[in-house]
């Protein structure tokens, strides 16, 4: 029994068959895909002109008819709402911090990926085209802003921000592996720091924030807090303690059964009266953040529950058999796999939160969309029907944010799936 | 057939049919099961299991599907909670006390039919996780020991790959290394080769033979009779949640006493 040859070479599945040669001339492609049956031909003949017309009108509007001066004049309003103009350096400082930290984070993860892949014998190369494509949404936004900026200062500051982000990325790529654990801390410090720099040290209270700045705050604040809370509730739902389980289930079902708008109204009108007397009532914006976070957390909890259910029993048993205590089993074995399985659903939920922040205009906050509605009421634009321009502009910003999140989630999925089933 | 007669009457226990309550191996007791009962709802999966496994002994458990083999060894490390009787592992009695359970689990390694490697960790991380997290071994030391174990099961070159990149046989050998990393005193195997393609069975059995030769106490649920014949000190035959017959391989293959054992062997050999 001792002379048994052990297979030590790596197991590789056989390469898949190549698909039949894929090079076809455009003419052949059109015939095969657009005119292959009579009804397909019919659809093509109807749809192509229809789409062409819509696209033509859209381009014509954007480039010719639109009166973009409403966006141009109100760019600052759209960015910060009624934020005191004398304190504008604060949001700029916050943006600078965020750019640096995000760049740093991207740089560190990029290097970590390359190294992790190299250990496994894969050489990951990131071409500049890939990087450019990755940064494309952000660049589009910068381009749109640049188009509408009329003075030099913001342009210089914007350029400085981009430089900071790139610098952060390059620094991140130089950070050696054993220092990497500090990066999480750096990112969290950066997020907190950008909030502190605006509100503290004789700063501007949250209730005077507005525009894109407020929207971004609501989204980042909501996401950053809804994620851990949602995970905790999902774990609570599987707790062995009946009381915790009951509370979690009731919470999830209650929140998921109510429209966000109703919850926002409650946070605005009812929450102050439900707090104990003498308890400091959080400011209006904070109440909205809390509602958004509580709302999203319930959905995150359900998503995480699905992820937890997708983990086979054998994983728990293997961890138990090794003597791992339950909470370590959860933290090291189950949650990493469960969360990875639900990245797409989770990011979908966050995208939806990002867009849902626009609902806060009904409780009187002046977020990006609220500003866009209001500027059409200014004396110089009143009654001129410039809704399309402003709505298009803010929609574009929402789209850039959502698209960017969606792209990054796809990247994350493929990256985490490296070498796995 | 009344099992109690065979068990409690020393006179009927000839030199051929051994007493399951007498330790083999060095003679020192490692695992003691006394009248162990296990119910799944109304269904009794284990009844009156008496079995003592001695230090350094290799016990092979076989029997038809559904006879309670898995349930028995899963009770030994408390993946299942027994409903009656006693189970003592290396002097620690399994009770509801969570510290006892953790202590026993640290002493007892287990290898599953489906490998159950952690797919999000590399091979080396799979192997070093428990020593680092449970025994608090420093990283470098755990990795060094992990690499030694991977060399022992002959796959050191796969250390930085992920489980899905390995063949079934390689994965099962990693699972063995992972269990050994905790330096257990007992190893449990639940049909470790049943999920493997035929050509990979040997490499896993080879690792197990090597382990047995190194003096590990082992309970192995398997239908690999070649393995049983070569390494087992005793073979336990189970049916319907009971131990039907216990004996040395020689006894078992040449002179089984019970009809059910004979029937089973005729089907499997
Ligand atoms: N978790 C469970 N719930 C209910 N019945 C179970 C469970 N696990 C095992 N059983 C039943 O207990 C019996 C013994 O199972 P098992 O120990 O897995 O048998 P073996 O490993 O010998 O094939 C089987 O009839 C099986 O259906
Ligand atoms: Mg079984």
């Amino acid at each position: 029994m001792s002379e048994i040859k052990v297979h030590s070479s790596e197991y590789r599945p056989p390469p898949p068959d190549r698909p039949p040669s894929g090079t076809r001339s455009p003419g052949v492609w059109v015939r095969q895909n657009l005119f292959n049956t009579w009804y397909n031909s019919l659809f093509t003949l109807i749809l192509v002109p229809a789409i062409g017309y819509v696209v033509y009108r859209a381009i014509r509007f954007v480039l010719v008819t639109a009166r973009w001066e409403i966006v141009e004049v109100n760019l600052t309003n759209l960015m910060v709402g009624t934020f005191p103009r004398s304190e504008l350096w604060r949001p700029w400082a916050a943006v600078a911090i965020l750019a640096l930290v995000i760049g740093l984070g991207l740089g560190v993860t990029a290097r970590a990926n390359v190294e992790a892949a190299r250990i496994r014998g894969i050489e990951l190369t990131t071409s500049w085209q890939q990087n450019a494509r990755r940064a494309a949404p952000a660049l589009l936004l910068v381009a749109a802003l640049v188009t509408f900026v009329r003075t030099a200062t913001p342009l210089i500051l914007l350029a400085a921000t981009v430089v900071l982000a790139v610098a952060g990325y390059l620094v991140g790529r130089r950070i050696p592996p054993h220092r990497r654990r500090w990066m999480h801390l750096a990112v969290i410090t950066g997020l907190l720091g950008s909030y502190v720099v605006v509100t503290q040290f004789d700063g501007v209270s949250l209730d005077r924030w507005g525009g894109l700045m407020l929207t971004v705050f609501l989204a980042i604040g909501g996401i950053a807090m809804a994620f851990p809370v949602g995970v905790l509730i999902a774990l609570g739902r599987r707790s062995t303690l009946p009381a915790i389980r009951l509370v979690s289930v009731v919470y999830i079902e209650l929140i998921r059964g109510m429209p966000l708008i109703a919850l926002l109204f409650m946070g605005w009108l009812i929450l102050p009266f439900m707090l104990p007397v003498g308890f400091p009532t959080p400011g209006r914006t904070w109440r909205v953040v809390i509602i958004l976070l509580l709302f999203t957390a319930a959905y995150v909890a359900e998503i995480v529950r699905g992820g937890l259910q997708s983990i086979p029993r054998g994983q728990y048993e293997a961890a138990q058999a090794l003597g791992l205590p339950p909470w370590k089993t959860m933290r090291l074995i189950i949650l990493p796999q469960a969360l990875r399985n639900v990245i797409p659903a989770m990011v979908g939920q966050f995208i939806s939160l990002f867009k849902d922040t626009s609902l806060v205009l009904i409780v009187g906050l002046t977020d990006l969309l609220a500003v866009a509605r209001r500027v059409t009421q200014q004396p110089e634009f009143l009654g001129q029907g410039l809704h399309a321009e402003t709505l298009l502009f803010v929609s574009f910003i929402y789209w850039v944010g959502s698209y960017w999140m969606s792209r990054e989630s796809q990247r994350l999925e493929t990256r985490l799936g490296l070498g796995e089933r | 057939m009344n099992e109690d007669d065979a068990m409690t009457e020393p006179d009927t226990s000839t030199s051929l049919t051994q007493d399951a309550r007498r330790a083999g191996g060095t003679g020192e007791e490692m695992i003691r099961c006394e009248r162990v009962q296990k119910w799944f709802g109304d269904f009794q999966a284990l009844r009156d299991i008496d079995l003592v496994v001695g230090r350094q002994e290799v016990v092979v458990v076989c029997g038809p599907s559904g006879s309670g083999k898995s349930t028995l060894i899963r009770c030994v490390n408390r993946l299942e909670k027994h409903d009656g009787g006693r189970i003592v592992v290396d002097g620690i009695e399994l009770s509801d006390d969570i510290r006892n359970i953790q202590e026993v689990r640290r002493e007892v390694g287990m290898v599953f039919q489906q490998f159950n490697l952690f797919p999000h960790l590399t091979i080396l991380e799979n192997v070093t996780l428990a020593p680092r997290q449970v025994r608090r071994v420093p990283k470098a030391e755990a990795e060094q020991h992990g690499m030694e174990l991977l060399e022992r099961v002959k796959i050191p070159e796969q250390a930085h790959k992920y489980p899905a990149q390995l063949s079934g046989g390689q994965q099962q050998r990693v699972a063995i290394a992972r269990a050994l990393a905790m330096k257990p005193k007992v190893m449990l195997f639940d049909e470790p080769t049943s999920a493997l393609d035929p050509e990979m069975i040997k490499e896993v059995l080879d690792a197990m033979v090597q382990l047995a030769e190194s003096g590990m106490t082992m309970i192995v649920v398997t239908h690999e009779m070649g393995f049983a014949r070569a390494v087992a000190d005793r073979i336990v035959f189970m049916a319907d949640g009971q131990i039907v017959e216990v004996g040395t391989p020689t006894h078992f293959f040449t002179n089984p006493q019970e009809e059910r054992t004979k029937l089973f062997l005729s089907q499997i050999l």
Side-chain angles (χ1 to χ4, degrees), chain A residues 377-390:
Chain A
Q377 309 297 316
Q378 289 165 334
E380 37 176 328
F381 299 112
L382 189 62
Q384 300 185 18
L386 299 183
H387 304 292
E389 287 81 355
T390 49

Side-chain angles (χ1 to χ4, degrees), chain A residues 273-292:
Chain A
F273 302 107
M274 295 204 327
L275 291 171
V277 181
F279 191 89
T281 312
R284 198 170 50 166
T285 312
W286 267 116
R287 281 179 348 240
V288 165
V289 174
I290 292 169
I291 296 293
L292 287 176

Side-chain angles (χ1 to χ4, degrees), chain A residues 131-366:
Chain A
N131 281 337
R133 222 178 305 142
R134 192 175 174 195
L139 292 179
L140 265 178
L141 182 61
V142 170
L145 293 179
V146 166
T147 324
F148 293 120
V149 168
R150 291 185 303 179
T151 51
T153 328
L155 281 182
I156 295 167
L157 290 172
L158 211 53
T161 306
V162 173
V163 169
L164 267 179
V166 173
Y169 181 84
L170 294 178
V171 170
R173 293 205 64 137
R174 290 174 164 273
I175 290 175
H178 58 276
R179 296 264 165 72
R180 239 171 242 159
R181 64 179 68 205
W182 298 105
M183 286 304 104
H184 302 283
L185 207 62
V187 172
I188 292 172
T189 315
L191 287 178
L192 288 179
S194 58
Y195 173 74
V196 165
V197 80
V198 182
T199 55
Q200 302 304 308
F201 311 113
D202 303 324
V204 179
S205 93
L206 199 52
D207 287 334
R208 297 184 62 191
W209 293 25
L212 179 62
M213 181 182 174
L214 177 63
T215 295
V216 168
F217 172 77
L218 293 175
I220 293 183
I223 291 170
M225 292 186 281
F227 177 70
V229 172
V231 171
L232 283 181
I233 297 170
L235 294 179
R237 188 161 187 167
R238 294 170 57 107
S239 164
T240 46
L241 305 174
I244 293 184
R245 214 163 46 225
L246 185 72
V247 170
S248 309
V249 172
V250 168
Y251 175 80
I252 292 171
E253 295 308 333
L254 214 59
I255 297 281
R256 294 206 320 151
M258 281 194 273
L260 177 56
I261 295 194
L263 287 169
L264 285 171
F265 275 125
M266 280 186 206
W268 184 29
L269 302 169
I270 303 178
L271 190 73
F273 302 107
M274 295 204 327
L275 291 171
V277 181
F279 191 89
T281 312
R284 198 170 50 166
T285 312
W286 267 116
R287 281 179 348 240
V288 165
V289 174
I290 292 169
I291 296 293
L292 287 176
L293 127 76
L294 294 180
F295 178 78
T296 303
Y299 289 85
V300 169
E302 280 301 272
I303 292 171
V304 173
R305 184 168 76 111
L308 291 173
Q309 278 170 348
S310 71
I311 308 300
R313 268 178 63 92
Q315 293 289 306
Y316 292 91
E317 291 181 347
Q320 273 173 15
L322 286 167
L324 282 181
W327 64 276
K328 277 194 176 174
T329 303
M330 196 41 88
R331 185 166 64 84
L332 299 169
I333 307 298
I334 307 301
L335 267 186
Q337 297 184 59
L339 293 181
R340 173 173 315 181
N341 289 351
V342 298
I343 288 172
M346 191 84 81
V347 174
Q349 190 61 46
F350 291 154
I351 290 175
S352 142
L353 170 63
F354 175 52
K355 292 178 297 181
D356 284 350
T357 57
S358 57
L359 290 174
V360 303
L361 84 93
I362 64 151
V363 292
L365 299 196
T366 43

